Structure formats: structure tokens, C-alpha cells
């Protein structure tokens, strides 16, 4: 895997060979259960504190690294995109190796900071689907735009 901290080489459950960061520390143990709970409440609009809960979700993401399933062939990087509405796609990311192994075993796991993932959005990509083979969360631009600087140059 590529280390989200320095771009060096890191293996599952080992430290990065370049900067020494531990694998678990790099992933920040993102709380998918908490994220899912917050997302569900936001999606169902059943909370009086919906802005607070959306802000908490944004903070969880901003302070986390996620795994991007990728195919690397001939020095080219291919990322998994899932279909959405209006021919817009969602980039698949996962929170941990258990989620990665549910559907992406044949691909390469690349760890990325949230900011690096945001940089992948372009005019054909609506947002992200987190843990698509588990209890997934869809985060579209309507959620992302108020909290993050999203590249909207081509939109």
C-alpha cells in the first residue's frame, strides 16, 4: 500500500518503511458505526441538530484516512467508480481492510487522506460511497460542498 502520511510503502499491520507510522495509526480507526448513525439521521431528517450532526460527520472524515481500492496496470491507476443518478458516478472507498476484503481482494489498497480523496472529484463524479459491500454511506456534493473545498471547476 501507499502510506497516506509520506507516500512511502506500507504493508497491512506493519509500519511504513519510510516514515515509520504504524498502519493502525495511519488509518485513524475511523468510527464507521458512528458515521453511519450520523449519516442515517441526516438522511432521514429526523434530528433537531442536523447541522451539528453533519458537522460531526465532516470532522470524522477530515481527520481520517480511507482506503481507495485501485487497479494499477502499466503505471496507470484505475479507481472503482459505481453508477449513480444522472450518469454521475461515486468513487468507492472503504474504512478498513475487513471492508476492503469484502469485495476488492483482487485490487490494490491505497490509503489516502480525506483531502487527497476530495481531489479525485471531477465533473463526472458526484461523490463517494463508503464501504459499498457493507452498511454503505453515499456522500454526494450536496453533503460535501458546505464542509469541504470540492473542485467544482468543471461543474
Amino acid at each position: 500500500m501507499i502510506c497516506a502520511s509520506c507516500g512511502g510503502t506500507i504493508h497491512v499491520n506493519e509500519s511504513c518503511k519510510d516514515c515509520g507510522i504504524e498502519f493502525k495509526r495511519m488509518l485513524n480507526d475511523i468510527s464507521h458505526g458512528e458515521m453511519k448513525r450520523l449519516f442515517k439521521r441526516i438522511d432521514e431528517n429526523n434530528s433537531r441538530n442536523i447541522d451539528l450532526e453533519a458537522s460531526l460527520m465532516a470532522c470524522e472524515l477530515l481527520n481520517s484516512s480511507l482506503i481507495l481500492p485501485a487497479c494499477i496496470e502499466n503505471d496507470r491507476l484505475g479507481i472503482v467508480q459505481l453508477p449513480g443518478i444522472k450518469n454521475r458516478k461515486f468513487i468507492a472507498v472503504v474504512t478498513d481492510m475487513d471492508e476492503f476484503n469484502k469485495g476488492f481482494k483482487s485490487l490494490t489498497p491505497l490509503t489516502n487522506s480525506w483531502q487527497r480523496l476530495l481531489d479525485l472529484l471531477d465533473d463526472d463524479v458526484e461523490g463517494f460511497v463508503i464501504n459499498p459491500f457493507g452498511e454503505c454511506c453515499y456522500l454526494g456534493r450536496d453533503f460535501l460542498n458546505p464542509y469541504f473545498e470540492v473542485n467544482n471547476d468543471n461543474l
Side-chain angles (χ1 to χ4, degrees):
M1 275 194 249
I2 296 173
C3 177
S5 178
C6 72
T9 302
I10 191 166
H11 297 282
V12 176
N13 296 325
E14 293 181 13
S15 296
C16 175
K17 299 203 183 315
D18 295 323
C19 71
I21 192 170
E22 294 176 17
F23 179 77
K24 279 278 202 190
R25 192 167 143 234
M26 181 184 58
L27 290 179
N28 295 320
D29 289 324
I30 189 169
S31 171
H32 181 65
E34 178 66 6
M35 197 173 5
K36 182 65 177 173
R37 183 192 72 75
L38 289 168
F39 185 76
K40 184 175 182 182
R41 290 177 60 104
I42 292 165
D43 191 46
E44 293 175 352
N45 255 345
N46 66 357
S47 172
R48 290 180 292 165
N49 298 318
I50 199 159
D51 291 333
L52 173 62
E53 290 175 343
S55 295
L56 289 171
M57 171 85 92
C59 286
E60 279 283 333
L61 292 167
L62 190 58
N63 294 305
S64 297
S65 295
L66 296 170
I67 299 171
L68 179 70
C71 176
I72 303 172
E73 290 182 14
N74 302 324
D75 293 331
R76 298 194 77 211
L77 176 69
I79 57 176
V80 177
Q81 295 183 0
L82 303 174
I85 58 172
K86 298 181 183 176
N87 296 323
R88 309 271 299 202
K89 295 178 177 43
F90 287 83
I91 295 173
V93 294
V94 295
T95 54
D96 54 49
M97 288 306 293
D98 290 337
E99 290 294 330
F100 180 85
N101 289 329
K102 287 181 181 179
F104 300 113
K105 283 183 183 181
S106 64
L107 299 177
T108 302
L110 303 176
T111 58
N112 283 275
S113 68
W114 182 247
Q115 188 57 52
R116 284 186 184 173
L117 291 171
L118 288 173
D119 291 341
L120 295 175
L121 298 179
D122 62 22
D123 57 342
D124 293 328
V125 179
E126 176 63 21
F128 302 97
V129 57
I130 300 173
N131 294 342
F133 294 103
E135 291 185 45
C136 64
C137 297
Y138 284 87
L139 300 178
R141 288 181 187 270
D142 56 337
F143 172 82
L144 298 171
N145 283 332
Y147 300 102
F148 306 105
E149 288 185 32
V150 178
N151 178 8
N152 288 313
D153 293 343
N154 300 322
L155 297 178

